[in-house]
Amino acid sequence: MSDNRRSKTVTQGVQRSPNRAMLRAVGFGDQDFEKPVVGVANAHSTITPCNLGLGALAARAEAALKKAGAMPQVFGTITISDGISMGTEGMKYSLVSREVIADSIETVCNGQSMDGVIAIGGCDKNMPGAMIAMARLNIPAIFVYGGTIKPGHYKDRDLTIVSAFEAVGQYTAHKIDEKELLEIERRACPGAGSCGGMYTANTMSSIFEAMGMSLPYSSTMAAEDEEKAESTARSAEALVNAIKKQILPRQILTRKAFENAIAVTMAVGGSTNAVLHLLAIAHAAQAPLVIDDIEMMRARVPVLCDLKPSGRYVATDLHKAGGIPQVMKMLLAHGLLHGDALTISGRTIAEVLKDVPDEPRKNQDVIRPWSNPVYTQGHLAILKGNLAPEGAVAKITGIKMHTITGPARVFDSEEACMEAILAQKIKVGDVVVIRYEGPRGGPGMREMLSPTSAIIGEGLGDSVGLITDGRFSGGTYGMVVGHVAPEAAAGGNIALVQEGDSITIDADARLLQLNVSDAELARRRAAWKPPAPRYTRGVLAKYAKQVSSSSLGAVTD
């Protein structure tokens, strides 16, 4: 069915279908069959604080949709708490859940012939999962972010979930005692909402606002504040308007929108995971985007916001300072944003930002003025070399040492690496290699927040390198390189690294190099055999068989 015929055909189908009897049972009256049917994809869950408040937001959206003349149908989708599963076997399901979320939303909306969808999510994979589905469906759609958590406090400093992970390393290094470790754990997450720094959830919410798929200012609101509920109601109203005007996701998710998203990601100091998710969403939207486009934008866009993990502030501070619209207006004023890109409201980006000042307020330092950025160029770099011919992703700002050449310390799993770190077997100058943790090899491409936080907690963050074919949490910083592609399980050169080999990470040259001759690598390759799959049945086995390289977004379709 072509996109421009869908809404009319669906409405006629509801009017004429003998299955209207079933819709009457869920609340449809005679006049309701004339109204657009709107899915409310509700990711509410008590598994994680990120999704704890989503049920109330879904109810608010449902009421607003009815008031605006639509017929909402609420359905559930899943979430995995990255923070809770971090460092465990369960983390292998995190990236997989992105695909499950996308598939579930696509399945319900197409299976029930819905005219539009509003997705409400919180934890990291809720957002790209929902956006992949929206791009596939190409029916009017809007995303509502459940909101960010407010910071915890201890000894006059703000805490986030990353504080708890780093405290483990500090405790192991005897820098804090068990009592302080427990106090940080108790205070790090004070209530509902997604992790508070510019980690993956807040990065993706910011991206969706920048792309025009969420309402202005919605991406940095606190989960527990009333304005979040009010923004949800306005989002429902905007969706009904988009259905009437047939504003479709692929009209919004264009090449220009992706360039805007990358620019904002750089300006706010966003998560490395943005690279993976933007590539996947672009694939679903059939928009042209390749991994090298990230590097192209990095060179042009400064980091304007002083946000955690490497900076001082959290997302609620950014919201008070003017939020994503302020950052976007600065980029627009300096020719780094496409002002003619369309948004879900039907207005262009330039029209949405018309009344936002070109420079931030002077009584705050969360958003720096253009003349005094945190860094003059973006922080997310694409490194290449014989260890990553398809590319790897690194944060190259906020680190003291931009180049390291050292001996490889090789581990075939996160657990083996973590054991060595906690036993204090990793020394200054080492380059830690964690492999067989990629999309196929893990499977699931786990985040390495536990090892990186432990390294930082022990005071080695500026003197030890770490590379992996897995991912990093948005809370990670330091001399770390992830998404190494091709991955070890696919026969990438990272599989051929041996203990003690010399490895060079050069952030300035965007180089990731194994200092071993081509002849020796050829000899090792001839002797290498792919490992047996870690899973032979179930969702992880299916995922491992289908998933693409991380350099393509780790997509499964």
Side-chain angles (χ1 to χ4, degrees), residues 66-82:
K66 287 181 178 178
K67 186 176 181 180
M71 281 304 292
Q73 291 190 303
V74 182
F75 62 94
T77 187
I78 68 159
T79 196
I80 295 292
S81 172
D82 290 10

Side-chain angles (χ1 to χ4, degrees), residues 199-216:
Y199 311 144
T200 303
N202 285 325
T203 298
M204 296 310 299
S205 68
S206 299
I207 282 173
F208 290 178
E209 184 176 326
M211 296 177 98
M213 290 296 291
S214 294
L215 293 189

Side-chain angles (χ1 to χ4, degrees), residues 495-549:
L496 309 181
V497 180
Q498 295 181 359
E499 186 80 8
D501 281 349
S502 172
I503 290 178
T504 295
I505 305 172
D506 189 331
D508 296 327
R510 271 82 69 197
L511 178 69
L512 185 60
Q513 188 77 17
L514 175 60
N515 300 312
V516 172
S517 70
D518 291 343
E520 173 60 15
L521 284 177
R523 185 191 69 77
R524 293 181 188 181
R525 178 166 299 284
W528 178 80
K529 294 181 180 180
R534 287 173 167 163
Y535 297 84
T536 58
R537 300 183 67 183
V539 66
L540 291 182
K542 288 190 289 185
Y543 182 85
K545 290 177 182 178
Q546 296 175 343
V547 70
S548 72
S549 170

Side-chain angles (χ1 to χ4, degrees), residues 222-359:
E224 297 178 324
D225 287 352
E226 175 60 23
E227 67 174 346
K228 171 49 64 179
E230 293 170 355
S231 175
T232 302
R234 291 197 303 274
S235 298
E237 294 164 2
L239 176 59
V240 174
N241 179 65
I243 293 171
K244 291 175 181 177
K245 294 183 177 180
Q246 280 300 285
I247 301 171
L248 305 177
R250 290 186 203 167
Q251 294 172 327
I252 299 170
L253 297 174
T254 63
R255 168 73 185 203
K256 289 182 178 180
F258 283 98
E259 289 188 0
N260 286 351
I262 297 168
V264 168
T265 301
M266 296 297 176
V268 300
S271 166
T272 54
N273 283 312
V275 176
L276 194 74
H277 298 325
L278 282 170
L279 290 168
I281 296 165
H283 173 80
Q286 300 178 355
L289 188 74
V290 296
I291 195 168
D292 291 332
D293 292 326
I294 309 295
E295 179 61 32
M296 178 192 70
M297 291 296 293
R298 182 201 66 80
R300 299 171 55 201
V301 181
V303 178
L304 298 172
C305 299
D306 188 9
L307 298 168
K308 291 180 181 291
S310 59
R312 293 179 292 167
Y313 296 105
V314 295
T316 50
D317 297 316
L318 174 59
H319 189 64
K320 294 172 186 173
I324 295 303
Q326 179 63 79
V327 176
M328 291 176 68
K329 186 58 177 287
M330 294 169 70
L331 293 170
L332 180 64
H334 289 85
L336 292 171
L337 212 66
H338 296 287
D340 58 343
L342 184 65
T343 73
I344 188 63
S345 69
R347 297 184 294 164
T348 65
I349 291 290
E351 289 169 339
V352 168
L353 301 176
K354 180 172 63 72
D355 296 327
V356 179
D358 288 352
E359 285 291 314

